[in-house]
Amino acid sequence: MAAGCSTVDTRIAQDRTAFNNWPPPVQDKVVAGQVAIGFTPEQVQVALGRPDRVWMRTSHDGTSQVWSYLEPSTDLDGGFGYGGWGYGGWGWHRWGWRGYGYGLGYGGWDNTYWTERTRVIFDASGHVSQIESITH
């Protein structure tokens, strides 16, 4: 969502001085819209944009900050249904209906379905310690 609002080139231009001071291998990854272990939050934000969700994870290794990036889903869901029948009334029968139906679409409260594509986990020192990516 937020990551889609600006391009890598735009984000680099907004922080050109910092970008110019990063080592060439970091610059190459950022230009490609990628991140690597050891990146700082600033480098991740220039490469991927602002995260869509942020939360803290606590484990036996300590507390980590997690940044989550979403993308619109192209997954479609479908369903098939059959309606039954019934009767009732006072001394006479009222027969119900029978029906078949099929639906196809994507969901979400705003008719858009978002799915997580990347998680970036920062260690206690504030550097990327893990990257999780969804592949389709």
Side-chain angles (χ1 to χ4, degrees), residues 45-101:
Q45 194 160 349
V46 173
L48 301 180
R50 292 179 40 175
D52 296 300
R53 295 180 181 158
V54 176
W55 66 88
M56 302 303 288
R57 175 185 294 163
T58 303
S59 70
H60 67 281
D61 295 328
T63 300
S64 305
Q65 188 174 57
V66 181
W67 289 9
S68 175
Y69 292 87
L70 306 176
E71 69 182 8
S73 176
T74 57
D75 297 336
L76 294 176
D77 292 326
F80 179 79
Y82 171 73
W85 58 276
Y87 65 93
W90 297 96
W92 51 276
H93 295 275
R94 176 182 287 176
W95 293 95
W97 50 269
R98 297 179 191 190
Y100 299 90

Side-chain angles (χ1 to χ4, degrees), residues 17 24 35 50 60 72 80 93-94 104 115 128 130:
T17 303
V35 296
R50 292 179 40 175
H60 67 281
F80 179 79
H93 295 275
R94 176 182 287 176
L104 181 67
T115 186
V128 174
Q130 296 178 50

Side-chain angles (χ1 to χ4, degrees), residues 16-17 39 43 47 62 68 80 91 99 103 131 134:
R16 178 61 69 183
T17 303
F39 269 35
Q43 292 164 340
S68 175
F80 179 79
I131 303 163
I134 305 297

Side-chain angles (χ1 to χ4, degrees), residues 6-19 45-46:
S6 64
T7 66
V8 173
D9 292 336
T10 302
R11 293 188 298 266
I12 290 170
Q14 291 171 345
D15 209 353
R16 178 61 69 183
T17 303
F19 178 83
Q45 194 160 349
V46 173

